């Protein structure tokens, strides 16, 4: 027989009410400073203490690069129809549906046409929040259309890469987008129209091994991870730790793979300057 | 007899029976039994290879005795002279290239080379090419363009080499430049994916007018093991990943990624390399003739259109 008849109710835990509303402050991974979110947004997601570049969404990126922050979006409605009927631990179709709902975007790139420094330009900007910015058939088609639009209108092209590489869930169709976009860039190249590749954190895999490295100018953001194989794959191959700073923008600059590393707050001016030189 | 794969175990049992019988004194009865078993092996092999799963095809594509690029070069071409180096840094032994004659025409041959024995495999870095390999390939393809010679590329690599020096010397840039320049290279280019088509490392020499693929070859955006490790978080799910990725020749033909499947001997190219080469010869000759008949503008337009169209099958919501 139990000593006490009445079972004790567990004490109600005090409601966890944070006194700080969600997302009001952000901690900088670079210098650990606590940053006021509004300041961070005003500063284009760059820490004003140490210059650490946070990831920037595609819309914010286009607003930053185009004159007056205005552009006309190309092919916004294109969506993947899950051509392989791919399923891993969950169906890709479901993953797509949820990502489209949560991001309000149809895929991992936004392509816009507008002006930079007064010159006609097409900018394709990848968004990491959409399945790691992965490149599948929609990314391939939208960027290709953007390049073809630029050729038709004698405009320059800027592609802002931010991607883990090809989208596995679309198999070899994704792989082939590397060839498709590069073929369009070959035509742009022969037309003597400028192409500026802006590499941001991260740019790896098939994106690096195609359009990201093909710029007339390759410009990177400070500290961006840029490489072909991911650091973990390399460590498994060579069975040792990689040196500090390996595959970072500054490392690539030193190895001769980049023209420039440019702080985000100066990119619009530098790109406008470059287009003035290249777009004859 | 080439090494048997695990799914060929039923064949192995019969081979052992034949071996046991052959050790006994020969009689008419025993010889009849041996022929009966041999016929049975052929029947089983035929059944097995008619319905290979994606993962089994991966195993065949990676078979240690599968004919290499140089095996095909030796059988299909005459007067092959290998050329070396990227004129920048080094000569990469994982990609071979050279002048050859094909049915009386000079062609440039480029291909990944895996190596057949252990020593060769190490020398060839198991077919994992470094930036120098892709740059050598482009240098020689541009030489072929200058002197109006068609290019034939043989694809058989697990991947581009994922090492420190590859990254330092810009393997991504090397592959990217090949993709761009092969799209507009003004001579016929025929691609033959005869073994492993390992993602960007394969594609780096695989842009052309016709893409032929061997019946049991594979061509994938990522190795099934890597895909399983990332998406399933379990490398043992490679069988499921191989299936899901659609990496087989029939799948890729259906998706519009390749143009033609090259038949292999029953049991795979490694069971009869001479016949495998003869089958490729027919397909290669036909593809090259078709492409050579086109004038340069039409050929380049068709090449652009071919890659331009890849992926449209997977898109909805066409606007504008």
């Amino acid at each position: 027989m139990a000593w006490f008849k009445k079972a004790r109710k567990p004490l109600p835990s005090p409601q966890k009410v944070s006194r700080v509303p969600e997302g009001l402050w952000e901690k900088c991974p670079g210098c650990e400073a606590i940053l006021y979110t509004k300041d961070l947004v005003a500063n284009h997601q760059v820490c004003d203490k140490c210059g650490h570049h946070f990831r920037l969404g595609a819309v914010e990126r286009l607003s930053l690069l185009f004159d007056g922050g205005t552009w006309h979006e190309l092919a916004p409605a294109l969506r993947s129809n899950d051509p392989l009927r791919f399923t891993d631990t969950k169906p890709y179709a479901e993953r797509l549906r949820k990502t489209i709902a949560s991001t309000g975007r149809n895929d991992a790139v936004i392509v816009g046409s507008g002006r930079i420094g007064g010159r006609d330009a097409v900018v394709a900007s990848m968004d990491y929040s959409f399945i790691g910015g992965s490149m599948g058939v929609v990314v391939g088609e939208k960027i290709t259309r953007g390049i073809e639009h630029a050729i038709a209108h004698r405009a320059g092209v800027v592609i802002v890469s931010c991607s883990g590489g090809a989208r596995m869930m679309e198999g070899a169709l994704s792989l082939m987008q590397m060839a498709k976009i590069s073929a369009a860039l070959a035509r742009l190249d022969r037309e003597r129209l400028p192409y500026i590749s802006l590499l941001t954190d991260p740019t790896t895999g098939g994106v690096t091994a195609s359009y990201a490295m093909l710029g007339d100018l390759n410009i990177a953001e400070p500290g961006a991870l840029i490489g072909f194989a991911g650091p973990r794959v390399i460590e498994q191959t060579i069975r040792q730790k990689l040196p500090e700073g390996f595959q970072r923008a500054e490392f690539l600059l030193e190895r001769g793979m980049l023209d420039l590393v440019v702080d985000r707050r100066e990119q619009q001016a530098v790109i406008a300057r470059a287009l003035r030189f290249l777009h004859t | 007899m080439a090494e048997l794969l695990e799914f060929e175990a039923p064949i192995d049992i019969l081979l052992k029976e034949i071996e046991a019988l052959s050790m006994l004194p020969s009689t008419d009865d025993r010889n009849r039994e041996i022929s009966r078993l041999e016929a049975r092996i052929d029947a089983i092999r035929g059944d097995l290879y008619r319905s290979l799963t994606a993962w089994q095809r991966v195993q065949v594509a990676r078979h240690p005795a599968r004919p290499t690029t140089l095996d095909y070069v030796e059988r299909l071409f005459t007067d092959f002279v290998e050329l070396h180096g990227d004129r920048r840094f080094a000569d990469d032994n994982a990609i071979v290239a050279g002048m050859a004659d094909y049915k009386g025409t000079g062609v440039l041959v480029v291909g990944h080379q895996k190596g057949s024995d252990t020593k060769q495999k190490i020398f060839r870095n198991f077919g994992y090419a470094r930036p120098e390999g892709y740059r050598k390939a482009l240098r020689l393809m541009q030489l072929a363009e200058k002197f109006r010679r068609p290019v034939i590329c043989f694809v058989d690599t697990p991947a581009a080499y994922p090492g420190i020096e590859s990254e330092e010397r810009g393997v991504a840039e090397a592959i990217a430049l090949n993709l761009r320049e092969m799209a507009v290279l003004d001579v016929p280019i025929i691609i033959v994916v005869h073994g492993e088509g390992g993602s960007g490392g394969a594609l780096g020499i695989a842009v052309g007018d016709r893409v032929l693929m061997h019946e049991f070859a594979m061509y994938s955006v990522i190795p099934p093991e890597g895909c399983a490790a990332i998406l399933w978080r379990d490398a043992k799910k490679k069988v499921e990943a191989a299936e899901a990725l659609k990496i087989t020749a029939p799948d890729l033909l259906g998706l519009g990624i390749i143009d033609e499947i090259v038949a292999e001997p029953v049991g795979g190219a490694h069971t009869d390399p001479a016949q495998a080469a003869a089958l490729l010869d027919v397909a290669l000759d036909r593809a090259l003739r078709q492409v050579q008949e086109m004038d340069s503008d039409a050929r380049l337009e068709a090449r652009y259109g071919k890659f331009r169209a890849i992926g449209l099958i997977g898109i909805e919501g066409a606007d504008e």
Side-chain angles (χ1 to χ4, degrees):
Chain A
M1 201 181 126
W3 283 30
F4 304 100
K5 281 180 193 163
K6 213 162 102 184
R8 285 244 178 121
K9 274 188 209 155
L11 285 171
S13 61
Q15 273 206 322
K16 273 190 193 152
V17 181
S18 169
R19 281 175 297 131
V20 184
E22 189 67 33
L24 198 55
W25 299 90
E26 191 107 36
K27 188 172 178 180
C28 173
C31 64
E32 309 216 318
I34 306 296
L35 306 169
Y36 189 41
T37 304
K38 270 190 184 164
D39 290 346
L40 198 54
V41 170
N43 216 20
H44 310 296
Q45 300 287 333
V46 179
C47 170
D48 56 7
K49 306 279 192 304
C50 72
H52 173 81
H53 285 49
F54 289 77
R55 222 160 262 156
L56 192 65
V59 173
E60 292 77 11
R61 176 73 65 178
L62 293 179
S63 305
L64 179 65
L65 292 179
F66 279 120
D67 292 352
T70 59
W71 74 91
H72 166 70
E73 187 172 350
L74 302 176
L78 301 191
R79 282 187 182 186
S80 169
N81 67 11
D82 181 18
L84 306 190
R85 307 279 164 269
F86 191 97
T87 297
D88 47 85
T89 51
K90 61 179 171 184
Y92 170 50
E94 190 187 316
R95 213 186 281 259
L96 268 176
R97 223 177 3 256
K98 281 189 177 159
T99 310
I100 289 170
S102 69
T103 60
R105 287 279 143 205
N106 284 329
D107 214 296
V109 72
I110 302 179
V111 183
S113 84
R115 302 190 134 222
I116 298 178
R119 282 160 199 277
D120 287 338
V122 170
V123 182
S125 183
M126 304 191 76
D127 202 314
Y128 198 78
S129 63
F130 199 102
I131 316 187
S134 54
M135 169 188 58
V137 294
V138 172
V139 169
E141 178 66 17
K142 285 175 84 167
I143 295 182
T144 303
R145 282 198 198 182
I147 297 165
E148 288 173 344
H149 180 91
I151 294 172
H153 294 84
R154 304 293 307 165
V157 172
V158 178
I159 304 179
V160 188
S161 296
C162 184
S163 171
R167 190 172 299 169
M168 284 177 278
M169 296 80 112
E170 292 178 5
L173 287 172
S174 300
L175 178 68
M176 295 298 147
Q177 303 311 305
M178 294 166 64
K180 173 168 166 170
I181 297 168
S182 302
L185 287 174
R187 293 197 157 185
L188 187 81
D189 181 75
R190 300 313 192 257
E191 291 287 335
R192 296 178 189 278
L193 289 166
Y195 165 39
I196 293 170
S197 171
L198 181 58
L199 300 92
T200 75
D201 185 67
T203 298
T204 59
V207 169
T208 319
S210 57
Y211 52 88
M213 277 293 160
L214 288 175
D216 291 307
L217 299 184
N218 293 333
I219 301 176
E221 293 205 322
L225 177 78
I226 302 164
F228 179 53
R232 261 184 310 165
V233 175
I234 301 173
E235 284 183 347
Q236 278 165 15
T237 309
I238 60 171
R239 294 171 202 286
Q240 51 184 310
K241 289 297 268 183
L242 289 170
E244 186 74 24
F246 182 70
Q247 290 185 318
R248 294 289 164 187
E250 296 71 17
F251 170 89
L252 271 89
L253 183 71
E254 196 183 300
R255 290 290 185 275
M257 305 312 301
L258 300 173
D259 291 278
L260 288 164
V261 174
V262 179
D263 188 295
R264 188 177 292 157
R265 294 161 289 189
E266 291 153 23
Q267 281 166 11
Q268 214 268 353
V270 171
I271 289 171
R273 168 71 188 90
L275 289 176
R276 189 157 62 80
F277 179 73
L278 300 170
H279 202 176
T280 52
Chain B
M1 186 74 233
E3 188 183 317
L4 289 170
L5 297 166
E6 61 184 13
F7 67 85
E8 295 174 307
I11 295 176
D12 196 32
I13 294 167
L14 294 177
L15 280 173
K16 288 205 172 101
E17 273 187 51
I18 292 176
E19 199 187 332
L21 283 172
S22 324
M23 280 192 288
L24 298 170
S26 164
T27 68
D28 283 355
D29 261 6
R30 283 199 192 105
N31 290 340
R32 261 196 301 281
E33 181 60 10
I34 289 175
S35 336
R36 196 186 64 79
L37 288 171
E38 280 169 348
R40 182 97 189 89
I41 288 177
D42 287 344
I44 291 176
R45 182 174 282 130
D47 283 347
L48 278 175
Y49 275 79
R50 246 190 307 281
S51 54
L52 290 185
T53 65
W55 176 249
Q56 288 167 342
R57 284 169 191 260
V58 171
Q59 291 172 288
V60 177
R62 292 175 180 169
H63 197 290
R66 193 162 175 87
T68 64
T69 293
L70 288 178
D71 290 327
Y72 286 112
V73 169
E74 192 183 312
R75 289 191 158 91
L76 295 179
F77 305 96
T78 52
D79 221 357
F80 175 69
V81 177
E82 190 181 344
L83 302 169
H84 297 273
D86 68 346
R87 301 268 171 87
R88 296 279 185 280
F89 180 78
D91 185 36
D92 184 0
N93 301 312
I95 289 185
V96 294
M99 312 175 272
D101 286 334
Y102 185 61
K103 302 190 190 303
T105 313
V107 296
L108 178 83
V109 177
V110 178
H112 303 99
Q113 177 64 17
K114 277 185 175 174
S116 33
D117 57 35
T118 307
K119 205 175 152 192
Q120 275 294 312
K121 283 185 165 78
I122 292 167
F123 177 66
R124 300 294 181 184
N125 200 28
F126 301 86
Y128 287 97
R130 295 183 169 89
E132 302 79 76
Y134 296 99
R135 291 183 179 132
K136 168 170 71 178
L138 183 59
R139 175 175 81 82
L140 292 170
M141 286 190 281
Q142 287 172 336
L143 186 79
E145 181 185 42
K146 180 175 175 185
F147 296 104
R148 306 246 146 257
R149 298 297 183 193
V151 176
I152 300 168
C153 294
F154 289 86
V155 175
D156 184 21
T157 180
Y161 183 63
I164 289 186
E165 69 271 37
S166 265
E167 298 285 328
E168 281 180 323
R169 297 198 291 272
V171 68
E173 190 271 346
I175 291 171
L177 194 63
N178 284 18
L179 300 183
R180 191 182 83 185
E181 293 308 311
M182 289 179 84
V184 290
L185 197 86
D186 193 7
V187 286
I189 306 176
I190 310 291
I191 311 298
V192 182
V193 182
H194 64 89
E196 262 186 290
S199 66
L203 190 61
I205 57 165
V207 176
D209 302 299
R210 289 280 188 285
V211 181
L212 315 183
M213 181 168 170
H214 276 72
E215 191 177 355
F216 305 124
M218 61 169 286
Y219 199 174
S220 181
V221 65
I222 183 168
E225 295 91 334
C227 178
I230 297 169
L231 292 183
W232 278 263
R233 299 187 189 286
D234 179 3
K236 290 201 265 318
K237 297 284 185 191
K238 61 196 178 188
V239 177
E240 288 86 340
E243 204 64 52
L245 283 166
K246 301 278 184 281
I247 59 180
T248 73
D251 284 330
L252 297 175
L253 187 68
L255 292 169
I257 289 170
I258 61 164
D259 299 301
E260 186 179 337
I261 297 176
V262 180
E264 291 187 31
V266 179
H270 60 280
T271 59
D272 191 347
Q275 201 202 339
L279 289 165
L280 173 59
D281 194 17
V282 175
L284 182 61
D285 183 37
R286 185 176 49 228
L288 190 57
R289 278 171 199 277
Q290 285 170 357
V291 175
Q292 276 178 314
E293 275 170 18
M294 305 169 85
D295 70 51
S296 148
D297 286 351
R299 190 176 56 236
L300 289 173
E301 196 57 45
R303 188 186 302 163
Y304 185 80
K306 170 184 157 60
F307 283 90
R308 178 71 187 78
I310 296 180
L312 296 179
I313 195 176
I315 295 174
E316 62 186 42
D319 46 6
E320 290 154 294

